[in-house]
């Protein structure tokens, strides 16, 4: 099967591509390209980047910070200066004077700042791109997946006319191609589990992700043992993994408004 997208219907109105999983109330896709596809047709987008962007967003927003997502590698410090914000740095670049980084553990301990610019190569880039479309965007992780699901249902999302798009961010290979990541599949499925009663039902892709979640006896252990979990632990950031695998401990729902994540 080729990778072409659906074209326009005979009436002149653009047909919904099969790649957008039409006819379902909750849908699942991967990475920046998947987010772009779902953004065209969904009423709300849920970004899941468990290790570590959306977990960092949840931790920061829960502590009272407003989080500005920003693409990785861009001039985050210059943008932060223009916004009157503090720019997070890489985990290895923190200092006593600048303890804010893309690390849930660091953000849990760092002083609270009103505005935080948080760059990342995956979840942040997806959030920034989706925000530019004007779509409602929510940050979810294992810590707040249930709360996010409840909030989406309370807002009336999940019908075929107002579908929910759940995007598992994934990681990157050295050639910049997408590497599907266990932790994001499980995090996305945890959101879908809370959405299993949506009136429009789950797409096949979403239902299969949920089936995988239901087959995993110990989600925290699976994340710890995943490639991403072991990588962070080996690099000395195991505490980030431990914070990320605290399932269902948060009621915070970070919603992206005017380019900034703040509580719903």
């Amino acid at each position: 099967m080729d990778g072409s997208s659906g074209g326009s219907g005979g009436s002149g109105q653009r047909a919904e591509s099969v790649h957008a999983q039409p006819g379902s109330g909750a849908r699942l896709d991967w990475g920046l390209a998947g987010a772009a596809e779902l953004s065209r047709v969904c009423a709300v987008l849920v970004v899941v980047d468990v290790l570590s962007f959306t977990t960092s967003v949840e931790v920061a927003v829960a502590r009272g910070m407003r989080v500005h997502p920003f693409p990785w590698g861009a001039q985050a410090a210059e943008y932060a200066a223009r916004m009157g914000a503090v720019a997070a740095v890489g985990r290895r670049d923190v200092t006593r004077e600048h303890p804010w980084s893309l690390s849930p553990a660091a953000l849990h301990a760092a002083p609270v700042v009103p505005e935080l610019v948080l760059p990342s190569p995956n979840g942040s880039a997806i959030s920034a791109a989706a925000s530019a479309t004007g779509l409602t965007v929510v940050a979810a992780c294992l810590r707040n997946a249930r709360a996010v699901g409840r909030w989406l249902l309370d807002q009336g999302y999940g019908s075929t006319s107002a579908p929910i798009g759940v995007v598992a961010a994934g990681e990157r290979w050295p050639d910049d191609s997408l590497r599907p990541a266990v932790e994001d599949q499980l995090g996305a499925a945890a959101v879908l589990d809370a959405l299993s009663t949506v009136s429009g039902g789950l797409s096949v892709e979403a239902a299969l992700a949920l089936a995988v979640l239901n087959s995993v006896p110990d989600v925290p252990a699976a994340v710890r043992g995943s490639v991403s979990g072991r990588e962070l632990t080996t690099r000395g950031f195991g505490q980030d993994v431990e914070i990320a695998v605290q399932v269902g401990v948060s009621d915070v729902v970070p919603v992206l408004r005017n380019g900034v994540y703040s509580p719903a």
Side-chain angles (χ1 to χ4, degrees):
M1 181 177 180
D2 65 27
S4 60
S5 297
S8 297
S11 65
Q13 185 177 14
R14 185 180 176 120
E16 189 172 352
S17 165
V18 294
H19 298 91
Q21 303 161 40
S24 52
R27 311 169 186 193
L28 171 71
D29 216 315
W30 283 88
L32 194 59
E37 183 68 19
L38 293 183
S39 293
R40 295 189 308 103
V41 295
C42 289
V44 60
L45 208 67
V46 182
V47 180
V48 182
D49 186 353
V50 170
L51 295 174
S52 297
F53 174 73
T54 52
T55 300
S56 295
V57 170
E58 184 278 324
V59 169
V61 170
R63 297 190 67 210
M65 301 185 232
R66 286 163 38 95
V67 177
H68 302 245
F70 204 74
W72 189 256
Q75 300 302 315
E78 294 179 8
Y79 175 79
R82 293 198 305 270
M83 300 300 295
V86 169
V89 296
R91 286 181 172 89
R92 297 288 188 192
D93 298 323
V94 297
T95 63
R96 181 175 296 181
E97 294 74 25
H98 198 102
W100 303 275
S101 77
L102 183 63
S103 161
L107 293 178
H108 183 74
V112 172
V113 292
E115 310 285 336
L116 179 71
V117 174
L118 189 62
S120 90
N122 300 304
S124 191
I126 293 168
S127 298
S131 176
T133 70
L135 197 68
T136 298
V137 181
V138 183
C141 58
L142 289 168
R143 295 168 59 86
N144 71 343
R146 294 172 190 163
V148 167
R150 288 195 301 267
W151 183 83
L152 291 167
L153 294 176
D154 288 346
Q155 298 301 306
Y157 296 117
S159 64
T160 54
S161 59
I164 300 162
V166 180
V167 179
E171 296 292 343
R172 296 283 177 179
W173 289 109
D175 66 357
D176 205 39
S177 60
L178 174 69
R179 176 176 71 79
V182 165
E183 68 277 7
D184 294 341
Q185 182 179 29
L186 294 174
V191 176
L192 293 165
D193 186 37
L195 297 174
S196 58
T197 61
V198 292
S199 60
L202 303 182
S203 70
V204 171
E205 289 75 9
L208 287 175
L210 183 54
V212 170
L213 175 68
N214 290 335
S215 72
V216 175
D218 189 334
V219 169
V223 174
R224 291 187 191 103
S226 70
V227 169
S228 301
R230 286 182 289 161
E231 179 184 28
L232 280 177
T233 300
T234 300
R235 291 170 54 199
F237 300 106
Q239 190 57 35
D240 284 344
V241 180
E242 293 309 309
I243 290 174
V245 299
Q246 294 174 346
V247 178
V249 299
S250 174
D251 290 327
V252 174
V253 179
V255 179
L256 195 60
R257 303 182 182 92
N258 300 317
V260 182
Y261 277 114
S262 59

